[in-house]
Amino acid sequence: MLDHGGRLRAAARQYAPFCGAALGDWLDLSTGINPHAYPVPEIDADCWRRLPEDDDGLEAAAAAYYGSDRGLALAGSQAAIQSLPALFRPVVVACLTPIYEEHPQAWERAGHKLRRLSQAPLARALAAATPLVVLCNPNNPTAGTLPAAALLDAAAQLQRRGGWLIVDEAFGDATPDNCVTALAGGPAAPNLIVLRSLGKFFGLAGARVGFVFGAREKLDLLREAIGPWPLSGPARAVARQALADTTWQQRTRGELIAASARLAALLAPFGGVQACALFATVATPQSVALYEHLARQAILTRHFPAHGLLRFGLPGSEAEWQRLAAALANLAP
C-alpha cells in the first residue's frame, strides 16, 4: 500500500513531542480536497434500505455534467485505476512522472512494463513509441497542466499506431474548458480514456464516487470486472444532486481559482510554484526542512522527497490562512 495525504492521526502522534497539538488542532493541507465541500442534502431513508438502482438519475446527471453518456460510475477513480490495466494485454506503458503513484503501481501489478519519463514533455512520451501513455491533467503532484488540444493531438498520434491515451482528470473540474472527458471514446478520440472523481472539486472524498469515460467495449469489460452495485445508494443520491447543482459549481470554480492564486503568492518566496485550482506545489531543495518546520507547528502538507516537492492544499477559513502565513513567516526563505 502506498502512502497518501490525509494521514493526520499518524502525523499527530509523530509530532506530538514537538507541538503537543491534539488531533483537532491540526491544519491538514495534505490532500488537495476542496475544504468547502458540497453541502450534503438530507438523504431519503430508502437509500439505506434498498439496493442501488442504475436508473435513479445519476447516469443522466453525469452525462449532462461531463458532456458524455459514455461513462461508468464506480467507487472512486481509484477503482478505475486498479481495474483498467487488466483490460489490456501486457505492453510497455509510458507514465509522465512524477505522477499519482497508484497509476504506475497498478500497471506494473497487472504485468505491464513501465517506462517512467521524469519531468518529460508529452512529446517525449509520444516519441518513445509506447502503446499506452498515462498522465494526470492537471498533474498530481506537480499541478502542471497540458492544454486539451495537446491531449487530443496525442490521442490521434497514438491511435495511428493502435495505442491508447489514459488521462486522469481528478483535479480538472474547476477548468472544464480544458477537460477532454466529453470526447473520450467518441469519434474524435476513440482511444482516449478519462477518469473523473467527485472527491476533489466537490469535496466528497468519503462518498467514494468516480467515473471512467471511454469506448463502450472497454466500459463493458470494466463493468463486468467491478461487479454489481459499485456505489452505495446514499453515495449515488449525493452525487446525483452535486452533479446537477450548476449554481454551486459555478460559484465554487471562481472561489477555488481565487484561493489558488492566493496560495501560490504566499508560497512564491520558497521556491518554484505551480498551482491548479485545488492545490499548489513548491519545488525546493529545502522541502524536508519546510515540511518539518510546518509539521512542528501542527500543519500537515504532502511531501514528495524523491522529487523535492511539497504540496499544499487550500486552507478553509481566514483563520487557517493567517495561521499558514504566520508559520511561513517564521521560516526565512
Side-chain angles (χ1 to χ4, degrees), residues 186-232:
N191 62 325
L192 173 64
I193 296 175
V194 178
L195 281 57
R196 298 298 292 260
S197 170
L198 266 70
K200 313 303 183 186
F201 173 77
F202 290 96
L204 298 174
R208 307 309 306 141
V209 179
F211 293 88
V212 58
F213 290 83
R216 293 288 185 190
E217 60 269 22
K218 293 295 185 186
L219 296 186
D220 289 343
L221 291 171
L222 191 57
R223 187 188 300 273
E224 289 294 324
I226 63 177
W229 312 301
L231 296 181
S232 70

Side-chain angles (χ1 to χ4, degrees), residues 5-44:
R7 294 169 54 85
L8 192 60
R9 285 182 172 82
R13 290 192 299 269
Q14 181 179 351
Y15 290 95
F18 304 101
C19 63
L23 184 66
D25 296 328
W26 276 75
L27 173 55
D28 185 5
L29 304 178
S30 69
T31 65
I33 295 170
N34 185 354
H36 301 292
Y38 183 77
V40 176
E42 183 176 350
I43 298 174
D44 188 335

Side-chain angles (χ1 to χ4, degrees), residues 108-265:
E108 285 186 316
R109 281 180 170 176
H112 298 270
K113 183 178 180 181
L114 197 68
R115 185 166 186 179
R116 291 176 176 267
L117 302 177
S118 179
Q119 305 290 345
L122 180 55
R124 183 180 169 195
L126 297 173
T130 56
L132 275 83
V133 176
V134 180
L135 57 87
C136 299
N137 196 50
N139 187 41
N140 176 22
T142 66
T145 302
L146 293 167
L151 297 179
L152 295 176
D153 179 68
Q157 292 188 49
L158 287 165
Q159 184 187 6
R160 287 195 287 271
R161 61 177 185 248
W164 292 76
L165 177 64
I166 297 171
V167 180
D168 184 342
E169 289 185 338
F171 288 97
D173 296 75
T175 52
D177 290 344
N178 197 53
C179 292
V180 294
T181 303
L183 300 176
N191 62 325
L192 173 64
I193 296 175
V194 178
L195 281 57
R196 298 298 292 260
S197 170
L198 266 70
K200 313 303 183 186
F201 173 77
F202 290 96
L204 298 174
R208 307 309 306 141
V209 179
F211 293 88
V212 58
F213 290 83
R216 293 288 185 190
E217 60 269 22
K218 293 295 185 186
L219 296 186
D220 289 343
L221 291 171
L222 191 57
R223 187 188 300 273
E224 289 294 324
I226 63 177
W229 312 301
L231 296 181
S232 70
R236 293 182 65 93
V238 172
R240 182 177 67 248
Q241 295 195 43
L243 290 170
D245 193 339
T246 56
T247 300
W248 183 89
Q249 294 158 16
Q250 293 171 357
R251 182 180 69 250
T252 300
R253 288 188 181 106
E255 292 172 349
L256 290 175
I257 290 171
S260 172
R262 180 180 180 181
L263 180 59

